Amino acid sequence: MLEIVTVSALTAFLTAVGNGAAGEFGRQLHLSTGALVRRTLGRETPLPAAPQGWQELAHQLHPALLRNAEHAHAWASLLHTQGGPAPVLRPGPGLPPATRHFTDRDDVLKRLRREATRAAAGQPRAALLYGPPGIGTSAVALYFGADQGALFPDGRFYVDLRDAAGGSGVEPAAVVGRLLRTMGVEPEQLPPTEAGRVQLYRSLTAGRRALVLVDHVTTAAQVRHLVPATPELLLLAVSSGPDLMVEAERIAVPPLRERDAVRMLRKVAGPEAVAQAKPRLPGVLASCAGNAFALKIAAMRLLTEGSGPTGDAGGANGTGNEDAPAGSDPVWATAHHAYRRLRLETARLCRLTALGDWPAIDAALAARAAGVELAEAGAMLAEAAEEQVLDASYDGRFRFRPGVRGYLEQAAGAQDGPARCSAAVARTLDGLRVRALYAARAALPQSWRTDLAPGDENPYADEAAGLAALRAEAANLVRAVRLADEYQHVETACELARALWPVQLKLGYWDEALPALRIAARLVDAYRPETRMAGALHFQLAHCLGALERWEEADRAAGAAVASERAAGHLLGEASCVEMQGLLRLNRWSYEAAYEHFVRAERVYRRIGPGQEGAGDLGRALALAARHQGRALRGMGRLEESRVRLERAREFFAGGSGAGREPYNEARALTDLAETLLDGGDTAAALAAIAQAEPLLTPQRATPHLRYLDQLRRRCQAVA
């Protein structure tokens, strides 16, 4: 096996570790590699900060392996057994359905097909569709993807960026992350950094004949790294707005010509309805100005004219008789006419719900905005969707088009006034806050970080239900934090951000949570400094930044968390934040500094006396501190001390101190213990620890951890 340990093999392995997944498997392998680097070089070696650093590290390691057969054998076994199943490209859910009323666009479609089929000649295949809202950019892209599916036998992959409401674009790293998930990459396999994600994207798509469609792009940076490096792949970016400077064939989607606009009216409304409306047709066509969305709504008006509700919502003056301003934007004018057809109560609900710019709307959210019963809100949303004021989503929720929402916001200002609008936003925020805090408590019932639930009657039955609710509301919660900041509801913003802790910890929603946590941390620094709330939010921010390997920012956030908890006299929080500082250093292979922080954390924990807050959590906290100390000591090469700490942690989690057994944490301690025993040459004891850990994880369905244990066993067998 020694022939494996070449510079190229080491470089490839270390680069894979550096760009590897942020899940349990990736973190465990990352720490194991750092410990072996320390043993081989005989000194602490910091984690490489750039891609070329991994190659430099390989060149440092190789001469040491030539001098030491034992170390060479350990590296050979690690490289031989730690490949793991690489992510593979899977077709995924494909594209959303194209509209059945698609009309014309022959010139645009020809240009798209030409870009998709031209000789590559060293140039990537990429196209940008752009045009004003409602013109049909998304419809063209989806029609092309459906009609030309034979060009893409390896899959058509779709990402929609509409849920970044409130003018906040999705960060480029998050866009790549979303795309990788649609390509079949599991959360445990997703690299934490943008560079790692881009590398994985290029690896998965190399030589593949596939379509990547990114809808509702707002900045060139969101798709710049998705421009393909392989000629078989086509990137199609769609912008409902101005042209973007992307390395792509930029194609404007123009308004429909008059004859095509008439054809579309006939497709939607039917030839008879259009014929009956012939005297009014010139005015309809003029007001729609070739805008596909406006034409669709106009056609539905022609189809149902005379059968709609008799009530009239009224326009800006409340009379209901005025027309849209001459020369106004077609989407705006369409929203005006659709809005006038709603019942007064439904129109009010739409106005007040639109104020939030919510990524997704359900009956509960709309009911809070309008102050009505849940059943009433559900019926009103259905009515508004029938009139095309709202778009229905596949999951039973709704959303406003930006132009329609803008019209409704203006109507709310004119008809409801600032006080009622502010009250509607406050009601909605409070409703989301209560739901989120209950869901967070259900998702992590044992954690003191989810202690803000307003009562004991939790509507979520168990952990799975609470986590599912948070997953469904994640985008709305991030938007709610932004909105609470805008309206200066500081306490609400902070509590909403606190409720994101389970989706960080259990779902790995770091990209999604980060913008909200930054806002909340800024607010507590301005309005509630040196409080427990400040400590908790800076802790969450540090955890999120660390998971994304933004180390310097994470260090600052963790330091702010420690200072806030100490100033608030919250010993449990202070110790936990010091422990976070240690974990940030452990993950960068700074084992001495990590160990010092874990020892400091233990000292703070031990200051909690009987009857004090946190006393009930003390045994578990000390066991976790012991486990972390054992991991750091292993990296330092102090293996016997490491074994003692890890056995102490394992004993606690096995229920040896009278506490309830925690199988998952017991298995993690056993895994760390097996690695320490293997480093010390006691392969028989290491194999025994692995055998004890596996049955503890099987009921938990902890597949990544079980996979790591299997490869750890094979390492033991290779060096035995």
Side-chain angles (χ1 to χ4, degrees), residues 478-538:
V478 172
R479 172 58 187 152
V481 173
R482 291 186 183 279
L483 198 61
D485 178 30
E486 292 172 20
Y487 279 78
Q488 286 297 287
H489 297 304
V490 174
E491 193 74 18
T492 298
C494 293
E495 292 190 4
L496 284 162
R498 284 279 302 272
L500 291 169
W501 174 236
V503 300
Q504 286 179 246
L505 186 66
K506 287 196 166 187
L507 298 179
Y509 278 23
W510 305 302
D511 296 297
E512 294 83 353
L514 183 58
L517 294 175
R518 289 192 191 280
I519 291 171
R522 171 175 54 78
L523 288 174
V524 290
D525 284 345
Y527 296 99
R528 295 194 56 188
E530 299 185 339
T531 61
R532 291 174 57 166
M533 180 66 82
L537 287 168
H538 280 296

Side-chain angles (χ1 to χ4, degrees), residues 545-607:
L545 291 165
L548 295 170
E549 296 188 6
R550 303 183 185 187
W551 302 118
E552 292 184 6
E553 290 182 88
D555 283 338
R556 289 195 294 271
V562 172
S564 295
E565 296 283 20
R566 184 178 296 143
H570 184 212
L571 293 175
L572 185 63
E574 180 186 348
S576 178
C577 294
V578 172
E579 200 168 71
M580 170 61 72
Q581 290 179 310
L583 288 169
L584 292 172
R585 284 152 181 78
L586 184 70
N587 289 327
R588 280 176 284 175
W589 301 352
S590 297
Y591 297 109
E592 277 88 353
Y595 179 69
E596 290 172 6
H597 279 86
F598 295 144
V599 170
R600 280 178 51 205
E602 180 182 353
R603 289 185 187 133
V604 178
Y605 280 130
R606 292 192 181 280
R607 287 165 52 196

Side-chain angles (χ1 to χ4, degrees), residues 234-284:
L234 174 67
L235 170 68
L236 179 50
V238 180
S239 168
S240 293
D243 188 4
L244 301 173
M245 293 307 296
V246 180
E247 288 285 334
E249 177 75 5
R250 298 198 292 277
I251 305 171
V253 178
L256 286 166
R257 291 167 294 190
E258 183 172 309
R259 67 173 181 272
D260 295 312
V262 174
R263 284 174 58 202
M264 185 173 182
L265 290 174
R266 287 173 177 155
K267 281 185 178 181
V268 179
E272 295 83 2
V274 175
Q276 290 175 5
K278 188 175 181 180
R280 296 168 43 216
L281 211 53
V284 171

Side-chain angles (χ1 to χ4, degrees), residues 7 46 56 71 77 86 125 202 281 287 297 400 455 468 515 520 529 541 548 550 598 617 683 695 706:
V7 171
E56 293 169 4
H71 291 160
S77 67
R125 290 194 176 108
R202 300 208 184 286
L281 211 53
S287 66
I297 308 309
F400 292 109
L541 180 58
L548 295 170
R550 303 183 185 187
F598 295 144
D617 297 302
T683 54
L706 285 166

Side-chain angles (χ1 to χ4, degrees), residues 258-407:
E258 183 172 309
R259 67 173 181 272
D260 295 312
V262 174
R263 284 174 58 202
M264 185 173 182
L265 290 174
R266 287 173 177 155
K267 281 185 178 181
V268 179
E272 295 83 2
V274 175
Q276 290 175 5
K278 188 175 181 180
R280 296 168 43 216
L281 211 53
V284 171
L285 294 172
S287 66
C288 291
N291 185 283
F293 171 70
L295 284 163
K296 181 181 177 182
I297 308 309
M300 305 211 37
R301 289 207 315 271
L302 294 178
L303 183 63
T304 60
E305 198 158 44
S307 62
T310 56
D312 200 314
N317 299 324
T319 66
N321 297 318
E322 66 284 341
D323 290 324
S328 63
D329 176 83
V331 174
W332 190 276
T334 297
H336 172 80
H337 289 295
Y339 172 74
R340 286 177 57 189
R341 293 170 61 85
L342 299 174
R343 291 180 298 123
L344 287 170
E345 298 85 351
T346 303
R348 176 178 172 275
L349 177 134
C350 289
R351 293 194 307 267
L352 298 179
T353 304
L355 292 169
D357 191 8
W358 302 108
I361 297 164
D362 62 8
L365 186 148
R368 292 290 299 196
V372 300
E373 295 297 320
L374 190 66
E376 290 181 81
M380 291 178 192
L381 289 175
E383 177 193 341
E386 281 291 318
E387 295 295 340
Q388 305 296 310
V389 174
L390 282 164
D391 290 342
S393 202
Y394 70 92
D395 60 359
R397 294 185 168 203
F398 304 87
R399 58 161 50 103
F400 292 109
R401 288 174 177 261
V404 175
R405 181 184 53 76
Y407 174 85

